[in-house]
Amino acid sequence: MFRNTCIGLLIIIAFGACHFNRKAKNNTENSFDTLMVKDVHTLSNADSIAMQHLDLDIKVDMDKKQITGCAVWTINNYKSAKQLILDTYDMAIDSVFVDGKSVSHSLDTQIKFLGSALHIPIGNGTKLVKVFYKTGRNARALQWLDSQQTHDKKHPFLYTQSESIYARSWIPCADGPGIRFTYSAHVTVPKWLLALMSALNPQEVSADGVYDFSMDTPIPAYLMALAVGDIAFKGIDERTGVYAEPGMIEKARYEFEDVGKMVNTAEQLYGHYRWGRYDVLVLPPGFPIGGMENPRLTFCTPTVIAGDRSLVSLIAHELAHSWSGNLVTNATWDDFWLNEGFTNYFERRIMEQMMGIGYSDMLWELGYQDLVDNVKELGATSKDTWLKLDLKGRDPDDGLTDIPYEKGSHFLKLIENTVGRERFDRFLATYFETHAFKTITTEAFLNYMDTTLLKDDPEQKKMIDIDAWVYGPGIPANCPRAGQERFLRVDGERDKFLKGTPPATLTTLEWTTHEWLQFLRKMPADLSALQMKKLDDAFMFRNSGNSEIADLWFIMSVRANYSAPYPKMEQFLSSVGRRKFLEPLYGEMMKTPKNAEMAKRLYEKYRQNYHPLAQESLDKMVLKKG
Ligand code: BES
Ligand code: ZN
């Protein structure tokens, strides 16, 4: 009850434009301009105060696993608010100064998911608010790795993951995607370690462990990022490069050879890349997600390093966010498909340009299969299968399903097919240009499309049936489907195997990862252990260095009670922390009592290697906790 009233009181409805000096306008207008937006996932009152600039001065203590320091906010109190309210999560606030004077602050009790609101009294003309703080042990954004948990096993490592609402666990801030600010940071780390942020970055270790960063382009808090570790750099071309642990850097450099070309390709599609450099940081294996589009510096899992550049569409995805997401940002997490659906679409357009349509068709088809499975899981009538989500009172990460990604991108593909590629591309380029550094709601996007792209053609609009896609469940009947040419050949080979042809004689030469995935995904669910063995002996799936194939193979092995790959599976589970791989694999094990025992044993053994967010979901699944 308390929680609901509290949320209710703090829900913010922001109206209209703002009237004050140019600089302040930049960082406010884009948050809430023409929109009427309420973001139920921030406790801050940034609707009435412009959060213009953040100046961070922090020390990273790798032994204590704690960040301490201060955050100085330059604000414009243009509505004469009496207090500034910031988001925090599991954080100790030591002291607060307003324009140099000490003030008494108060910290509310913690609200589930959202954390504690920090109240700071301010005056009409307040400019600077300085907060001294320490992070807590449950800071959800931070993963502290002991040296044993890194690739090279020599030095500890720290990285942040701020999306969706975890920035507040390492910076007291106004933590909503609609609130943008510029930042600078002075970061002290143990000597010999390199510090990197979503900003202008060093390429070498400093002598004293001190690093200064600046990000002059306004970004929302979920794009704040920091990594500290034994990290090396290698350039790709003049504006792109790769960071990784020294023992990984050569492999990473090889894998990402085409990243420079990727940026050029993306620019040809939808306009100038606005962020200066584009670098990729390969994290240690426990990174819980595939990639994170931190501006100027994508964070990515080492599981994309397959050795043959076959999984680099993930980089295309994170790069595409430099337009869809980082430049034009979803106003609230209910509009998440505007970030991920556009990015998925853009990713596939980049891959089509670079690898040909046969290749991107495979990405589309695998995505479509994920969509079908996910709708089945969520329930065909579930509101969680709408594009426009309703995450009020929930963890925004509940919206992190295949729906925003796949239903979102298929919706855009349908629009492309309906209006024609040329018109759609022109529309998208103008959309990014017009909304650059702004946030947008689903409604504002639909309205924009209505008054531009679809203005003169009601017939086309009817054919698309926007409402069925955005405010309706499941997969609409007019969902487009990609060409199946390469996969039909794969299906043919699978049929032959199922009719008894020895696998070694199948035509699999030059198959890419995606063909192998199609080959395995569509195997019948009741494949016998003997059939599994035959496939494994011929294709050595259990030794696959390709994380996508290995994970699927382990899942199939558990299903068929085929135990030869179990030692490899254990190795995989001991290091890989990517939730996309862990959850389905542990989930498969939980289906029978005997395998559930194995799941529990393995999970308890390797739990400490996983990210707090992965632990949270796996505790529920495997240990039935929470
Ligand atoms: N921005 C997302 C990751 C994210 C979303 C983290 C929401 C936390 C909350 C990132 O761009 C992403 O989509 N990553 C995908 C990879 C992609 C190729 C689909 C992932 O991590 O699997
Ligand atoms: Zn994404």
Side-chain angles (χ1 to χ4, degrees):
M1 179 62 193
F2 168 75
R3 199 181 115 210
N4 285 343
T5 328
C6 206
I7 295 176
L9 284 174
L10 289 165
I11 283 175
I12 292 152
I13 303 183
F15 297 97
C18 318
H19 315 278
F20 46 88
N21 71 54
R22 182 72 206 135
K23 187 155 190 252
K25 211 174 162 200
N26 269 344
N27 285 1
T28 320
E29 184 181 60
N30 50 42
S31 313
F32 297 110
D33 57 345
T34 57
L35 321 169
M36 268 209 325
V37 142
K38 59 178 178 185
D39 178 351
V40 294
H41 294 112
T42 175
L43 301 171
S44 77
N45 63 342
D47 61 319
S48 41
I49 297 171
M51 309 297 295
Q52 295 171 322
H53 184 79
L54 164 68
D55 194 10
L56 264 186
D57 184 351
I58 53 175
K59 182 163 180 276
V60 179
D61 188 328
M62 305 293 274
D63 297 323
K64 277 206 211 142
K65 305 192 170 168
Q66 187 171 55
I67 294 177
T68 51
C70 70
V72 182
W73 284 100
T74 305
I75 63 169
N76 185 324
N77 186 12
Y78 65 95
K79 282 192 179 171
S80 308
K82 298 274 176 273
Q83 58 169 343
L84 169 66
I85 309 173
L86 295 178
D87 292 296
T88 75
Y89 189 97
D90 188 40
M91 188 179 269
I93 306 298
D94 295 324
S95 56
V96 180
F97 294 80
V98 169
D99 287 331
K101 281 199 212 87
S102 168
V103 298
S104 59
H105 63 273
S106 69
L107 202 56
D108 287 350
T109 46
Q110 179 154 325
I111 298 174
K112 198 171 176 199
F113 311 127
L114 302 182
S116 314
L118 169 63
H119 298 259
I120 301 165
I122 55 170
N124 288 352
T126 295
K127 283 268 166 283
L128 293 178
V129 176
K130 187 169 190 173
V131 182
F132 284 88
Y133 69 99
K134 293 189 188 77
T135 58
R137 284 303 289 139
N138 297 318
R140 295 169 91 197
L142 304 178
Q143 191 171 21
W144 300 94
L145 303 178
D146 298 325
S147 46
Q148 276 313 305
Q149 293 167 306
T150 65
H151 178 270
D152 289 3
K153 308 202 186 312
K154 286 188 189 144
H155 296 276
F157 204 106
L158 162 71
Y159 62 81
T160 62
Q161 169 54 38
S162 297
E163 192 178 11
S164 314
I165 55 167
Y166 309 123
R168 65 190 67 177
S169 73
W170 68 287
I171 304 168
C173 62
D175 193 3
I179 306 155
R180 299 179 104 90
F181 51 88
T182 53
Y183 80 87
S184 46
H186 183 76
V187 181
T188 308
V189 305
K191 272 188 207 170
W192 313 118
L193 298 188
L194 185 70
L196 299 170
M197 291 191 81
S198 48
L200 193 59
N201 273 309
Q203 295 178 347
E204 276 170 19
V205 173
S206 74
D208 52 4
V210 175
Y211 297 89
D212 285 289
F213 300 91
S214 76
M215 170 48 96
D216 297 332
T217 311
I219 59 166
Y222 81 87
L223 295 176
M224 290 296 302
L226 170 69
V228 179
D230 181 16
I231 301 169
F233 173 81
K234 259 193 175 293
I236 297 171
D237 65 12
E238 46 315 316
R239 68 168 159 180
T240 60
V242 48
Y243 292 91
E245 289 183 60
M248 193 66 168
I249 190 75
E250 287 304 330
K251 271 187 172 168
R253 172 65 186 78
Y254 175 83
E255 204 76 16
F256 297 147
E257 169 69 20
D258 293 333
V259 168
K261 275 184 228 140
M262 229 177 225
V263 183
N264 301 340
T265 306
E267 282 191 314
Q268 280 159 20
L269 282 167
Y270 301 123
H272 177 55
Y273 176 75
R274 307 231 196 175
W275 304 88
R277 288 195 62 84
Y278 180 75
D279 294 313
V280 179
L281 166 64
V282 180
L283 288 164
F287 190 52
I289 57 176
M292 179 64 212
E293 66 272 25
N294 298 314
R296 287 174 161 272
L297 184 66
T298 283
F299 282 17
C300 92
T301 164
T303 61
V304 299
I305 314 249
D308 59 1
R309 302 176 184 161
S310 62
L311 300 177
V312 291
S313 63
L314 184 135
I315 302 299
H317 179 98
E318 304 313 334
L319 168 66
H321 273 302
S322 308
W323 287 259
S324 43
N326 300 4
L327 197 57
V328 185
T329 310
N330 52 206
T332 73
W333 298 115
D334 287 349
D335 307 298
F336 187 49
W337 78 276
L338 292 177
N339 270 18
E340 297 301 344
F342 276 71
T343 299
N344 234 30
Y345 174 84
F346 194 166
E347 165 205 326
R348 288 173 189 162
R349 291 295 305 276
I350 295 174
M351 294 317 288
E352 179 186 325
Q353 206 67 28
M354 294 184 69
M355 306 291 290
I357 187 138
Y359 190 93
S360 55
D361 274 350
M362 295 194 292
L363 296 178
W364 277 109
E365 173 58 21
L366 292 171
Y368 178 81
Q369 293 170 11
D370 291 338
L371 176 60
V372 171
D373 289 349
N374 199 218
V375 166
K376 237 183 249 157
E377 242 169 77
L378 294 167
T381 57
S382 163
K383 274 188 82 173
D384 284 346
T385 65
W386 294 21
L387 283 181
K388 176 80 185 192
L389 296 170
D390 181 6
L391 296 166
K392 197 161 130 199
R394 302 164 70 187
D395 186 338
D397 283 358
D398 286 359
L400 192 46
T401 67
D402 287 317
I403 302 298
Y405 289 83
E406 295 302 341
K407 190 173 174 182
S409 56
H410 280 82
F411 176 46
L412 297 176
K413 182 76 189 152
L414 171 69
I415 302 171
E416 181 209 311
N417 292 351
T418 310
V419 305
R421 176 167 280 193
E422 218 178 288
R423 264 180 72 202
F424 191 56
D425 280 355
R426 245 183 292 128
F427 165 76
L428 281 184
T430 316
Y431 167 69
F432 291 132
E433 183 68 34
T434 321
H435 297 85
F437 305 112
K438 293 186 180 181
T439 50
I440 186 155
T441 58
T442 299
E443 290 66 33
F445 167 71
L446 294 179
N447 185 44
Y448 175 74
M449 187 161 68
D450 237 15
T451 51
T452 53
L453 185 68
L454 302 177
K455 181 171 66 153
D456 300 321
D457 206 330
E459 207 36 53
Q460 286 185 337
K461 196 177 157 194
K462 219 166 108 203
M463 275 162 67
I464 296 167
D465 196 359
I466 294 170
D467 276 352
W469 282 86
V470 180
Y471 304 105
I475 307 172
N478 58 358
C479 184
R481 198 76 186 267
Q484 306 284 323
E485 214 183 308
R486 285 172 71 165
F487 279 178
L488 283 174
R489 269 181 258 144
V490 173
D491 294 345
E493 296 306 306
R494 186 188 327 93
D495 282 348
K496 281 196 226 156
F497 163 72
L498 291 171
K499 289 191 184 115
T501 304
T505 65
L506 299 177
T507 310
T508 61
L509 211 70
E510 290 182 11
W511 275 8
T512 64
T513 303
H514 309 96
E515 276 137 334
W516 285 112
L517 289 176
Q518 169 75 1
F519 181 68
L520 294 177
R521 274 185 181 195
K522 293 277 173 85
M523 286 287 176
D526 59 354
L527 220 54
S528 69
L530 181 65
Q531 283 171 306
M532 290 290 291
K533 183 177 180 322
K534 281 188 184 162
L535 288 170
D536 212 5
D537 289 345
F539 302 121
M540 300 306 273
F541 292 123
R542 66 174 171 276
N543 292 330
S544 174
N546 185 301
S547 53
E548 297 275 351
I549 293 172
D551 189 58
L552 178 53
W553 186 245
F554 298 145
I555 292 170
M556 292 172 67
S557 302
V558 170
R559 191 184 299 146
N561 279 311
Y562 166 65
S563 61
Y566 285 4
K568 289 284 179 186
M569 178 172 82
E570 177 160 353
Q571 223 172 43
F572 186 84
L573 288 170
S574 73
S575 62
V576 171
R578 194 170 166 190
R579 288 164 76 178
K580 172 183 167 188
F581 294 146
L582 296 180
E583 287 168 11
L585 182 48
Y586 279 114
E588 186 61 45
M589 288 188 232
M590 293 309 291
K591 287 183 183 166
T592 69
K594 185 169 149 251
N595 290 334
E597 277 305 304
M598 170 165 73
K600 204 160 161 273
R601 179 177 59 77
L602 293 171
Y603 181 59
E604 279 168 350
K605 196 160 162 195
Y606 300 117
R607 182 179 183 278
Q608 87 268 7
N609 290 353
Y610 304 147
H611 188 278
L613 292 173
Q615 291 178 352
E616 247 171 65
S617 50
L618 291 171
D619 280 356
K620 273 188 215 147
M621 183 191 283
V622 182
L623 306 179
K624 311 279 183 209
K625 273 194 201 155

